Amino acid sequence: MTNSIYLTTIEPYSGKSLVSLGIMEHLLRRTPNVGVFRPVIEVPPDKGCDKNIELLIKYFNLDLDYEDTYAFYRHEVADLIAEGRYDEVLDKIIEKYKALEEKCDFILCIGSDFHEGGSAVEFNYNADIARNLGSPVLLVTSGADDSIDEIINEVKISFEAFEESGCQMLGAVVNRTDPDLIDDLQEAMEDE
């Protein structure tokens, strides 16, 4: 049995923060010692804390040191990848994750925030991280302004891409969908 979930998306503004709150609530009902880990965060220390980590720690009163809940800032990863030191990125992420794993019974991993223009790179390192941590992936996607066929196609393509990267897929959450489409979308997804 796995002791983690890797929550990720393939696009910005999918509602990953909201989904992480619901998942954490569910996890804490089953085990009291749940950690949160974000391999890559945006916010450098002089600008405050990562909003997702801070929200989860404060809202659920998690007994975690903020510094233990992430491995890199986005600019550090970009610099290391540009220098051809991608393996060092993965090594440090795994090291930080394993240290947190020693303290927690279960870890909710939250992938990076996507920014315009960097989607392919971010997808690749989110898939690499999830695979290397052995965490099954829960995909969060936005259904805003999309038809059922568009949503289904996006989920199928994303699933296939993660599976081709060697990731185990746990499921998908389609967020921000037109309420009038929910029943038909759910039926269509069950048929896939």
Side-chain angles (χ1 to χ4, degrees):
M1 183 177 147
T2 184
N3 63 347
S4 63
I5 293 173
Y6 196 92
L7 184 65
T8 193
T9 185
I10 56 164
E11 61 192 334
Y13 312 111
S14 62
K16 190 171 52 178
S17 298
L18 179 64
V19 173
S20 69
L21 280 168
I23 290 172
M24 185 63 78
E25 175 79 29
H26 179 75
L27 291 171
L28 286 167
R29 289 181 187 170
R30 297 179 181 269
T31 182
N33 192 13
V34 179
V36 61
F37 182 69
R38 291 202 74 186
V40 180
I41 63 173
E42 184 70 34
V43 184
D46 60 335
K47 302 285 187 199
C49 295
D50 177 85
K51 65 181 172 105
N52 294 86
I53 295 172
E54 185 176 39
L55 174 65
L56 291 169
I57 288 174
K58 286 184 177 181
Y59 186 82
F60 294 107
N61 197 27
L62 301 177
D63 186 22
L64 297 172
D65 292 327
Y66 176 75
E67 295 297 319
D68 294 339
T69 62
Y70 66 92
F72 286 103
Y73 301 110
R74 172 184 294 282
H75 72 275
E76 293 174 321
V77 170
D79 291 347
L80 288 167
I81 289 173
E83 294 170 8
R85 298 167 56 195
Y86 184 65
D87 287 344
E88 289 179 41
V89 171
L90 287 177
D91 289 345
K92 182 175 178 182
I93 289 170
I94 292 167
E95 178 184 316
K96 292 278 299 218
Y97 173 85
K98 291 294 182 186
L100 186 60
E101 189 178 46
E102 292 292 319
K103 302 174 187 176
C104 301
D105 297 323
F106 198 95
I107 299 175
L108 173 60
C109 299
I110 303 172
S112 62
D113 294 322
F114 277 67
H115 293 275
E116 302 301 326
S119 295
V121 170
E122 287 193 60
F123 170 84
N124 287 335
Y125 71 65
N126 276 301
D128 280 351
I129 293 165
R131 184 184 65 249
N132 279 283
L133 297 180
S135 297
V137 174
L138 180 61
L139 177 69
V140 179
T141 188
S142 174
D145 303 320
D146 290 342
S147 70
I148 290 174
D149 287 340
E150 290 170 326
I151 294 168
I152 295 292
N153 286 337
E154 182 175 321
V155 169
K156 283 175 65 174
I157 289 168
S158 300
F159 257 66
E160 289 171 6
F162 275 105
E163 287 173 337
E164 286 175 11
S165 295
C167 296
Q168 176 189 354
M169 296 303 296
L170 187 61
V173 174
V174 180
N175 204 14
R176 303 179 62 214
T177 302
D178 180 342
D180 294 334
L181 298 179
I182 290 175
D183 291 337
D184 293 336
L185 176 61
Q186 194 168 17
E187 186 178 314
M189 289 187 78
E190 288 171 1
D191 290 342
E192 288 299 318

